[in-house]
Amino acid sequence: MCGRYASARKKHELLEEFQVEQDAAPDEELQPDYNVAPTKRVYAVLSRVPKEPERRSSGGESEERANESRSGRDHRSDRAVRQLRVMRWGLVPAWAKDPSIGSRMINARLETVAEKPAFKRAFASRRCLLPADGYFEWMPVEGEKKKKQPFYIHPEDDGVLAMAGLYEFWKDPTRADDDPLKWLVTCTVITTQAEDDLGRIHDRMPMMIERERWAEWLDPKLTDTEQASRLLVPADTGRLVAYPVSTDVNSVRNNGPHLIEPQQPEEEGSLF
């Protein structure tokens, strides 16, 4: 699974890196976060065909999900616009009775994402990229049943990770239609089997989307799930590097760049 990651790049850097055309949350800028955990607000890059009128709250929620179900896609302008939005990590399906299910929907397995009821509709048309600097995984310490050593895994060239994600709109039935919090926008990270070297730490890893596939992956007109699945190609072996970090990252209360500084593992020499 992918349950923690680091995302410290500033908004203007992400707008430029992902060639974003529209900042969909102009009044909100997230602080650098070196310990992103489920239910936190995160940046997501996506492409959507603009609809008018479109009402958004300061957090980026909108009535787009309802507009889709009532009238279908607006064909007056069919060019999708690449946006940067702020969402909550932990996908809440549109059919959920309440948002608590989101805490259990932080990851979607590549092997079943096109079939699971919670994810299959989003996989068909609501795909996104979740920018990250790196992510954390925990490896059991040899001889210590309850101890695990955290590792920070990131691109060797320190470039941005574009994690494959899905997003969904959830309508809160307890709120009035004119309540800006009526719509909750949430997301999940797609995971795959870890490459050989990283598999020694954990058998799963986030699925990365290479830059040349960003546009096709984000295209909302691509609704063929088989074609979308073909875009999910594991990262090249050796592109990512890993090193042990402080167990401070175990607590979501801790944050800061010290969480990604290399540390000596608790049982040096026994990990590999």
Side-chain angles (χ1 to χ4, degrees), residues 47 80 124-125 127 214-223:
S47 292
S125 60
R127 298 176 298 273
W214 287 358
E216 194 171 3
W217 172 252
L218 296 176
D219 186 358
K221 299 176 188 176
L222 174 57
T223 58

Side-chain angles (χ1 to χ4, degrees), residues 163-179:
M163 299 189 296
L166 308 174
Y167 68 96
E168 188 59 275
F169 294 97
W170 181 77
K171 185 178 181 180
D172 189 340
T174 67
R175 296 183 180 274
D177 288 342
D178 60 352
D179 188 327

Side-chain angles (χ1 to χ4, degrees), residues 61-63 65-66 169-171 179-185:
E61 289 84 5
S62 73
E63 288 194 328
R65 185 67 176 82
F169 294 97
W170 181 77
K171 185 178 181 180
D179 188 327
L181 299 180
K182 179 72 173 178
W183 291 92
L184 176 66
V185 190

